């Protein structure tokens, strides 16, 4: 944690974290272990009750979806660049990006950020921040969930996509491995100094994704979608059982 934030945590009698990985991180930084409690995130009933959508064949256009604020930690820019680099303009793919954040300090929309990065591609569609119902529709209408963060304390959208039976790409690092170790589309990482922003560089490490490997994973998802979807639907049953709220709370420590 950034040092100023960590020092503030020391004021409290208890700190609740969503994962064993995050507990270990706090202990290694010097937080008293007896004050840390793991409270796993659960999956809401609106996801649990949805039946995964299965497609009879490979879609005519494969839709990848990114959900999460645009930032360095979530590798948003690098994900887009990998997509652009791997797929040729005439290939039937699309990238949907729901990355708008009403609390962003720069006040820029996803469209403005794409323009600032010099990215202009008709295959990339920004999706404005929406209510819960439209968010679930976005997930259901997508074919591959795409995440490649440098660090995640849990990653709620990833768990929801997994529970919906969607093939998911994510970095092989952090708390995600506590529920996602059976999922095949994991991107290799290597340690790099964490970067929380101005004056907060170099506090601990993040898992820097291998973006060349990400391109390989993107291609694999495209080429093997039907088999991956079948496997993901089966894995969704395990994720739902593991992370429905009753079971999630029982697992908490």
């Amino acid at each position: 944690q950034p040092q100023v934030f960590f020092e503030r945590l020391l004021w409290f009698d208890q700190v609740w974290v969503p994962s064993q990985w995050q507990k270990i991180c706090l202990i290694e930084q010097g937080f008293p272990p007896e004050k840390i409690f793991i409270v796993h995130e659960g999956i809401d009933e609106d996801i649990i009750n949805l039946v995964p959508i299965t497609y009879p064949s490979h879609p005519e256009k494969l839709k990848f979806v990114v959900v999460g604020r645009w930032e360095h930690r979530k590798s948003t820019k690098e994900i887009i660049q990998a997509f652009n680099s791997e797929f040729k303009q005439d290939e039937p793919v699309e990238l949907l990006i729901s990355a708008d954040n009403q609390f962003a300090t720069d006040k820029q929309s996803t469209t403005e950020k794409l323009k600032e990065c010099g990215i202009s591609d008709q295959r990339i569609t920004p999706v404005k921040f929406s209510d819960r119902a439209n968010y679930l529709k976005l997930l259901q209408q997508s074919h591959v969930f795409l995440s490649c963060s440098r660090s995640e304390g849990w990653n709620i959208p990833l768990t929801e996509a997994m529970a919906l039976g969607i093939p998911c790409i994510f970095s092989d690092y952090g708390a995600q491995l506590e529920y996602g170790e059976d999922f095949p589309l994991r991107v290799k990482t290597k340690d790099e100094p964490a970067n929380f922003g101005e004056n907060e560089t170099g506090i601990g490490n993040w898992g820097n994704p291998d973006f060349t490997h990400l391109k390989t994973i993107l291609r694999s998802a495209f080429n093997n979608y039907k088999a991956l979807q079948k496997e993901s639907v089966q894995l969704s049953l395990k994720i739902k059982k593991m992370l429905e709220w009753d079971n999630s709370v029982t697992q908490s420590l």
Side-chain angles (χ1 to χ4, degrees):
Q1 302 288 351
Q3 191 60 32
V4 173
F5 183 78
F6 179 78
E7 290 173 0
R8 181 60 59 91
L9 288 181
L10 293 170
W11 293 8
F12 294 94
D13 298 318
Q14 295 183 9
V15 170
W16 294 7
V17 297
S19 63
Q20 177 69 22
W21 175 78
Q22 203 163 31
K23 178 178 180 177
I24 292 171
C25 288
L26 280 176
I27 292 172
E28 289 182 348
Q29 195 167 346
F31 199 89
E34 66 275 10
K35 291 186 176 183
I36 307 172
F37 294 84
I38 300 172
V39 182
H40 291 140
E41 297 279 4
I43 296 175
D44 289 345
E45 286 190 1
D46 56 2
I47 294 279
I48 295 292
N49 295 332
L50 287 174
V51 177
I53 296 176
T54 57
Y55 299 93
S57 60
H58 195 294
E60 292 184 6
K61 179 183 288 187
L62 199 70
K63 294 182 179 180
F64 294 82
V65 64
V66 173
V67 175
R69 62 181 294 170
W70 184 306
E71 62 179 1
H72 176 71
R73 180 176 63 85
K74 289 187 176 291
S75 307
T76 314
K77 179 180 177 181
E78 292 88 346
I79 289 172
I80 297 168
Q81 290 172 331
F83 175 88
N84 267 355
S85 175
E86 179 59 31
F87 296 115
K88 298 176 182 178
Q89 287 292 327
D90 60 352
E91 292 190 272
V93 293
E94 183 177 2
L95 180 60
L96 308 174
I97 306 177
S98 177
D100 284 351
N101 175 21
Q102 59 183 325
F103 302 109
T105 55
D106 60 14
K107 305 299 181 183
Q108 286 185 312
S109 67
T110 300
T111 300
E112 291 169 329
K113 286 182 179 291
L114 287 168
K115 184 177 181 181
E116 185 179 77
C117 294
I119 299 171
S120 178
D121 193 324
Q122 293 183 348
R123 301 173 301 171
I124 299 174
T125 304
V127 179
K128 291 188 177 296
F129 185 82
S130 63
D131 58 24
R132 179 72 175 175
N134 284 317
Y135 162 69
L136 294 182
K137 288 180 182 178
L138 173 66
L139 289 183
Q140 286 188 294
Q141 293 168 0
S142 301
H143 303 117
V144 179
F145 184 89
L146 177 50
S147 171
C148 202
S149 300
R150 290 174 164 88
S151 180
E152 287 284 355
W154 190 252
N155 200 339
I156 292 174
L158 177 61
T159 63
E160 293 177 330
M162 287 176 171
L164 287 174
I166 302 169
C168 294
I169 298 172
F170 58 100
S171 49
D172 193 24
Y173 183 81
Q176 303 165 135
L177 301 184
E178 293 180 31
Y179 54 81
E181 61 180 3
D182 293 334
F183 288 76
L185 300 177
R186 303 201 303 272
V187 180
K188 297 175 184 177
T189 67
K190 61 180 179 180
D191 285 351
E192 71 165 11
N195 182 351
F196 295 95
E198 187 178 358
N199 300 323
E200 294 289 0
T201 301
I203 302 173
N205 288 320
W206 282 349
N208 188 38
D210 181 339
F211 296 110
T212 299
H213 188 231
L214 170 58
K215 292 192 289 184
T216 300
I217 295 292
L218 288 168
R219 179 59 61 183
S220 177
F222 179 81
N223 289 340
N224 305 298
Y225 172 73
K226 189 57 186 174
L228 288 166
Q229 188 202 32
K230 183 178 180 180
E231 181 180 9
S232 296
V233 169
Q234 290 300 313
L235 288 170
S236 72
L237 302 176
K238 177 182 177 180
I239 286 291
K240 285 182 176 181
K241 183 176 181 180
M242 179 191 302
L243 297 180
E244 64 177 345
W245 275 109
D246 286 347
N247 289 336
S248 187
V249 171
T250 301
Q251 296 169 39
S252 297
L253 306 172

